[in-house]
Amino acid sequence: MVRWKKLSLTIIAFLASIFLIMVIAAYHYNIIDGDYDKLTITKMDKTVAIITNKAAIEEIIDRINDSPRRFLRKTGFTYDYLPYGFLIFENEEEKVEHAFYLFKGNIVIGYWDIDTKFEFAKDLE
């Protein structure tokens, strides 16, 4: 009987540690991963900046990947307002769009709300 208890506790501890590792990995993986040549920033359907400097693009990608993030469930509207603009990353093979919100400076990518504190609306006027 004691042997089964010990085995059960070992299995539970092992599964809990695997789950914890998966959660930690999910919150720290690179959300945007790629080598992009161009970043277009739009604001209310108007292009406000086109960045072709690879170092500046990599800095923005690093900030997105390193910023705190929150998991969103897709159960309806997350925000009660529409995206303020888009970040459009491009290279020869792909074009990737991500929305950002003026009021929070957050970027929404897939199931993640990333708290970058970007102030594109203020910085680019």
Side-chain angles (χ1 to χ4, degrees):
M1 188 68 147
V2 173
R3 184 174 161 183
W4 286 108
K5 274 187 178 179
K6 198 173 194 180
L7 181 62
S8 298
L9 289 175
T10 303
I11 290 172
I12 290 171
F14 176 74
L15 293 175
S17 63
I18 294 295
F19 177 75
L20 184 62
I21 290 169
M22 289 174 52
V23 168
I24 291 170
Y27 276 88
H28 290 91
Y29 81 99
N30 287 338
I31 291 177
I32 298 178
D33 196 18
D35 188 24
Y36 296 101
D37 302 325
K38 180 177 165 185
L39 170 60
T40 304
I41 302 171
T42 66
K43 182 170 76 169
M44 301 296 284
D45 293 331
K46 194 168 49 172
T47 299
V48 293
I50 296 175
I51 301 170
T52 56
N53 180 337
K54 287 189 100 161
I57 294 170
E58 288 175 10
E59 184 178 322
I60 290 171
I61 290 172
D62 288 344
R63 186 163 169 190
I64 291 169
N65 288 334
D66 295 340
S67 293
R69 58 186 86 163
R70 180 171 65 98
F71 183 76
L72 300 174
R73 291 186 1 223
K74 297 282 185 172
T75 57
F77 291 105
T78 302
Y79 294 100
D80 55 352
Y81 43 86
L82 296 173
Y84 189 72
F86 291 92
L87 302 176
I88 305 165
F89 295 92
E90 297 177 65
N91 62 23
E92 293 177 4
E93 292 92 34
E94 67 180 332
K95 179 178 178 179
V96 180
E97 267 186 36
H98 300 297
F100 69 88
Y101 295 86
L102 171 66
F103 302 108
K104 297 178 88 176
N106 289 9
I107 295 175
V108 175
I109 299 174
Y111 288 100
W112 298 103
D113 178 14
I114 305 163
D115 188 13
T116 58
K117 303 276 192 273
F118 280 137
E119 295 184 353
F120 293 119
K122 294 177 186 172
D123 296 341
L124 299 172
E125 290 192 10

